[in-house]
Amino acid sequence: MPEAEETTFAAELRRLRGEVSLRALGRRASCSKSIISDLEHERRVPTLPIARGLDKALGAGGKLVSLAEAQRQRLSEETADAAGDSAVDGLLREWDEVWRRDFLKGAGAAGAALATGPGAGTPAAAGGRDLMDAHLALRAAHGRLDNLRGASAVYAHAVGHHQQILAWHATAAGPAERQRIAALAADTGGFVGFLTYDLGMAETAATHYRDAAAHARRAGDLSSCTNLIGQMSRILTDQGHYHRALTLADGALHLAGTAAHPAVRSWLHAVRAHHYACLADTRLAQRDLTLAWTLLERADDGEKPTYIGYLDAAELNKWTGHAMVRLGQRTPSLLRAGRTALDEARAAWPATSVRGSAEVLTASARIHAACGDRDTAANLASRAVAIATETGSARNLRAALTAANG
């Protein structure tokens, strides 16, 4: 007699829901109907809080929680095993080749010089949940300070903190602890990469992102790894390497599949839309923007990773504007949509994200200028220059000055 197939979370959820509507179950489980639909059709991986809510609402006696835990464990193992590693390694090798071929020499030495600061090379104290929480809180504080005052205000401290995490990882007691610390190292390393990039050192930022992606792979964190590869692609497109940027973004989205968090996948589609726009491919750019907005509806599920916590409608409107500025050069009718998106982004932009507002203002200045509204464009560019100067953002200042002189 053949063995019965193993029950999956999706199959059990469909069976237990029966005739109960998605909306009704969502109310009982404090979960959106779109999330439940995605879970039933295996378009997303169940998080434990959502699994617990559904389990309780359907009286499953813990079965849905057990199935969710088993599925997440299998995913973690698959991400960390040879198949996952080979896919990630292939993308990282692609990045290494681009870096060697297209970036200026001497970045390695610059990276070594910058990898110093308070506490660099000093092992952290013994591990534990409290220590991990303290490091997570410090990383969050660094992020808030960067948003308010800019990269220069936090850079040395962030680099020193990252070095402490690396030292802790090197002395971890066992595989489980090494995996947890590797996930933290991916986060702090990616943050250092962003800060370095914002200060105008693209080549060095690239090495930080590359190393952070490798740590995310070791941690089995698919969402973090694909997010970091997307960040690498953004550097490439800013440097004018559009086709190579697209190759990395394509690889990140292929690797992400349906398993990476919807917020990460939404952001990756938005970034790839910009890559397509730089290549004047209107159809594929607009397709990716549609996918980005669709995934945004599923992003706030209670487990959005902190490193992508900024993703919201304002952020997607910013990327929509970026794409339309490019596409409008060939198709002027798209400029109006881009201007509307950027006006909405500015109106909803968080007051705590001071540094990031310079990027939105610059894009708005460019699209208003393209629409013929020179006075508004000049005002927006002037504000962007002031903010970029105040926050020490070389990347934003360079773009804002170009827009102001445009």
Side-chain angles (χ1 to χ4, degrees):
M1 184 174 179
E3 293 184 8
E5 291 187 6
E6 182 182 357
T7 301
T8 66
F9 180 91
E12 186 65 8
L13 177 58
R14 289 194 300 269
R15 186 187 72 79
L16 289 169
R17 182 168 71 86
E19 298 301 317
V20 178
S21 71
L22 292 172
R23 187 180 299 277
L25 178 56
R27 283 197 298 268
R28 284 157 50 183
S30 300
C31 176
S32 73
K33 66 177 185 178
S34 64
I35 288 177
I36 299 172
S37 176
D38 283 350
L39 290 170
E40 288 190 348
H41 291 88
E42 298 184 327
R43 290 192 293 259
R44 70 187 296 155
V45 178
T47 66
L48 294 183
I50 288 176
R52 293 187 189 103
L54 291 168
D55 193 283
K56 182 177 180 180
L58 292 168
K63 186 169 184 180
L64 284 176
V65 175
S66 296
L67 289 170
E69 289 175 336
Q71 184 173 339
R72 293 180 69 83
Q73 180 61 33
R74 284 195 302 272
L75 175 63
S76 178
E77 291 170 355
E78 290 167 1
T79 303
D81 71 7
D85 282 356
S86 64
V88 175
D89 284 344
L91 288 174
L92 296 184
R93 281 195 299 273
E94 172 75 20
W95 174 254
D96 289 340
E97 178 62 25
V98 168
W99 186 87
R100 284 192 298 268
R101 185 172 54 225
D102 296 314
F103 279 134
L104 297 175
K105 302 299 181 183
L114 287 165
T116 59
T122 303
R129 184 69 254 175
D130 289 343
L131 181 58
M132 178 63 74
D133 288 345
H135 279 300
L136 290 170
L138 182 57
R139 162 65 181 89
H142 285 160
R144 290 193 297 272
L145 185 57
D146 165 54
N147 283 328
L148 290 168
R149 298 296 302 277
S152 58
V154 72
Y155 183 76
H157 297 287
V159 170
H161 182 219
H162 180 55
Q163 291 298 314
Q164 288 182 4
I165 301 306
L166 294 181
W168 186 16
H169 183 264
T171 59
E177 185 175 83
R178 274 197 299 274
Q179 186 178 35
R180 288 193 296 271
I181 302 171
L184 179 58
D187 188 13
T188 57
F191 180 56
V192 169
F194 176 79
L195 296 176
T196 306
Y197 182 45
D198 200 53
L199 291 171
M201 298 174 282
E203 299 87 354
T204 306
T207 64
H208 285 303
Y209 278 136
R210 197 259 186 234
D211 291 345
H215 278 295
R217 182 198 63 187
R218 296 183 191 106
D221 190 337
L222 183 66
S223 295
S224 176
C225 188
T226 52
N227 173 66
L228 288 160
I229 293 170
Q231 296 287 355
M232 294 184 203
S233 80
R234 181 182 182 183
I235 293 180
L236 282 175
T237 200
D238 285 352
Q239 300 291 313
H241 303 300
Y242 305 138
H243 286 286
R244 290 166 189 155
L246 186 58
T247 296
L248 275 185
D250 282 343
L253 278 162
H254 178 75
L255 186 62
T258 58
H261 193 277
V264 170
R265 288 151 52 204
S266 173
W267 183 83
L268 285 171
H269 278 294
V271 170
R272 192 172 68 173
H274 182 238
H275 299 344
Y276 277 128
C278 291
L279 293 167
D281 193 327
T282 301
R283 182 181 66 84
L284 291 180
Q286 291 183 318
R287 184 198 67 178
D288 264 330
L289 287 173
T290 298
L291 290 168
W293 282 100
T294 299
L295 284 164
L296 180 66
E297 297 174 0
R298 307 169 190 163
D300 290 317
D301 59 0
E303 290 206 350
K304 183 193 292 185
T306 55
Y307 50 77
I308 198 73
Y310 59 84
L311 186 78
D312 56 13
E315 178 72 10
L316 281 196
N317 271 320
K318 180 190 78 175
W319 282 101
T320 300
H322 280 325
M324 295 307 170
V325 167
R326 294 280 188 169
L327 295 173
Q329 295 172 8
R330 286 195 171 191
T331 311
S333 61
L334 295 175
L335 292 173
R336 179 177 296 180
R339 183 178 61 188
T340 298
L342 287 164
D343 287 348
E344 291 180 3
R346 292 202 323 277
W349 200 256
T352 53
S353 186
V354 176
R355 173 195 39 73
S357 64
E359 184 179 349
V360 182
L361 289 164
T362 297
S364 294
R366 290 175 61 199
I367 208 160
H368 276 275
C371 291
D373 190 351
R374 297 287 176 180
D375 290 340
T376 299
N379 176 266
L380 292 167
S382 176
R383 288 164 58 192
V385 168
I387 292 171
T389 301
E390 180 184 351
T391 57
S393 174
R395 176 179 64 92
N396 282 330
L397 181 58
R398 183 167 54 247
L401 288 172
T402 299
N405 298 325

